[in-house]
Amino acid sequence: MHGSEDQEFLALERELSVFLRRARASSGEMARALHPELEPAAYGLLVRLEAAGRQRATELAAYFGVGKATMSRQLRALEVLGLVAREPDPADGRAFLVGLTEEGRERFLKVRGARRERYMRKLADWDRGEVAELARLLNQLNQGED
């Protein structure tokens, strides 16, 4: 039997497991809505590029905690689909920056809008302060991963 001090962490594990499973399924749906050939994991890359702007592949790999080879493969797939483009880094001509193409941005914003509407419907009964607190706590959890 687990001590009472473990119950909060067991509940957290249980709820995060459900949340992550649903989030993966939702990301798959969002990725397919954006482009039928888009891998679910690549949706997060588009989120990051839209929020942070053009970046080097090494920066993206570090941000997501994946290897350079994995990131390169995912970026190549996005480039083939016309969603991102590479251009020389003005600060270092040997490096490239990756950013959303106009088509990539348009498709992403349309899908993100639909996702935001889903969140708004699901959390319609929540107080806006509770939504902000959830976002703050998730950000705190994500920052702890660094």
Side-chain angles (χ1 to χ4, degrees), residues 32-47:
R32 285 187 297 279
L34 204 138
H35 193 287
E37 297 175 38
L38 187 64
E39 293 180 31
Y43 183 81
L45 274 171
L46 299 177
V47 171

Side-chain angles (χ1 to χ4, degrees), residues 58-78:
T58 53
E59 293 171 314
L60 290 166
Y63 179 80
F64 287 106
V66 300
K68 288 188 274 183
T70 298
M71 184 55 57
S72 292
R73 182 184 58 77
Q74 290 179 344
L75 289 172
R76 268 194 309 278
L78 289 170

Side-chain angles (χ1 to χ4, degrees), residues 17-36:
S17 294
V18 171
F19 177 78
L20 292 172
R21 186 177 192 89
R22 290 178 178 171
R24 278 192 291 276
S26 177
S27 285
E29 291 172 20
M30 294 295 140
R32 285 187 297 279
L34 204 138
H35 193 287

Side-chain angles (χ1 to χ4, degrees), residues 5-119:
E5 67 275 0
D6 291 339
Q7 294 306 308
E8 296 86 358
F9 291 99
L10 292 172
L12 176 62
E13 178 186 25
R14 182 180 57 248
E15 296 304 323
L16 279 176
S17 294
V18 171
F19 177 78
L20 292 172
R21 186 177 192 89
R22 290 178 178 171
R24 278 192 291 276
S26 177
S27 285
E29 291 172 20
M30 294 295 140
R32 285 187 297 279
L34 204 138
H35 193 287
E37 297 175 38
L38 187 64
E39 293 180 31
Y43 183 81
L45 274 171
L46 299 177
V47 171
R48 178 65 180 169
L49 287 171
E50 201 283 325
R54 298 177 307 151
Q55 296 191 331
R56 290 183 180 186
T58 53
E59 293 171 314
L60 290 166
Y63 179 80
F64 287 106
V66 300
K68 288 188 274 183
T70 298
M71 184 55 57
S72 292
R73 182 184 58 77
Q74 290 179 344
L75 289 172
R76 268 194 309 278
L78 289 170
E79 196 170 8
V80 167
L81 296 176
L83 302 174
V84 301
R86 294 182 322 148
E87 59 184 62
D89 184 345
D92 180 354
R94 301 166 295 167
F96 288 91
L97 295 175
V98 180
L100 292 174
T101 61
E102 193 57 40
E103 178 183 357
R105 184 175 315 288
E106 287 174 12
R107 286 178 178 238
F108 171 77
L109 292 175
K110 181 179 177 184
V111 170
R112 185 179 68 181
R115 183 176 235 183
R116 186 173 44 244
E117 286 178 20
R118 280 174 69 178
Y119 289 149

Side-chain angles (χ1 to χ4, degrees), residues 124-142:
D125 294 337
W126 287 37
D127 176 270
R128 287 284 178 133
E130 291 174 320
V131 175
E133 179 66 0
L134 176 59
R136 186 191 70 74
L137 291 170
L138 287 171
N139 178 265
Q140 184 176 333
L141 180 64
N142 285 334

